[in-house]
Amino acid sequence: MTLTACGIRPTPVLTGAEAPTVSSRSLTIFLVKPEGDGLVRRTREYTGSVDITTAMNLLLAGLTDEEKKLGLTTELPATAGKAVAVLDVIVMPEDVKPPDTKWGLFQVHCTALASRATVAGVAPVQGGLCP
């Protein structure tokens, strides 16, 4: 018995680029209730690379249309500046001064705590006031 091939020569293994990957995560931020008497936990979906500053940068980007419709507010100024990480400490953008209101302080602290970080210049909040 004789075996033959179809005449195609063998080639080495051809590799392509890495398969595309998309990382979609739920991140937690904290906003002020419509009544102004506490915080509410909000979950936002984020697609892309995530680090300890991502949730803080979402908070600093301002409210979504849905959050505005719900009457939620923030006591932090919206900014296009980005927070950066130095070890496990979040350093806020230069144009964002430390919060000077109770709920603004809690928003920053609780959002950082949800990211397992601390914020430079913001003392930890005692009493477990993060919802």
Side-chain angles (χ1 to χ4, degrees):
M1 180 184 272
T2 305
L3 297 174
T4 63
C6 63
I8 298 175
R9 296 181 188 195
T11 61
V13 175
L14 301 175
T15 59
E18 290 187 27
T21 59
V22 176
S23 172
S24 181
R25 300 209 174 123
S26 296
L27 299 170
T28 301
I29 65 167
F30 291 83
L31 299 173
V32 181
K33 291 180 179 181
E35 302 80 21
D37 62 353
L39 297 181
V40 62
R41 177 187 297 257
R42 293 288 298 167
T43 301
R44 289 190 183 171
E45 295 300 317
Y46 182 81
T47 301
S49 178
V50 173
D51 65 15
I52 64 171
T53 64
T54 306
M56 190 63 63
N57 285 323
L58 288 175
L59 177 65
L60 292 173
L63 301 169
T64 65
D65 290 338
E66 178 186 355
E67 291 161 348
K68 289 175 188 174
K69 288 177 186 175
L70 292 171
L72 301 173
T73 60
T74 181
E75 295 193 359
L76 302 172
T79 179
K82 299 293 183 191
V84 295
V86 178
L87 300 176
D88 62 347
V89 175
I90 296 172
V91 178
M92 300 294 264
E94 286 184 19
D95 63 337
V96 176
K97 64 179 184 163
D100 58 359
T101 64
K102 174 183 172 180
W103 296 121
L105 179 65
F106 286 154
Q107 279 185 269
V108 169
H109 171 74
C110 294
T111 299
L113 188 63
S115 299
R116 296 179 177 82
T118 57
V119 178
V122 176
V125 177
Q126 301 300 320
L129 290 172
C130 299

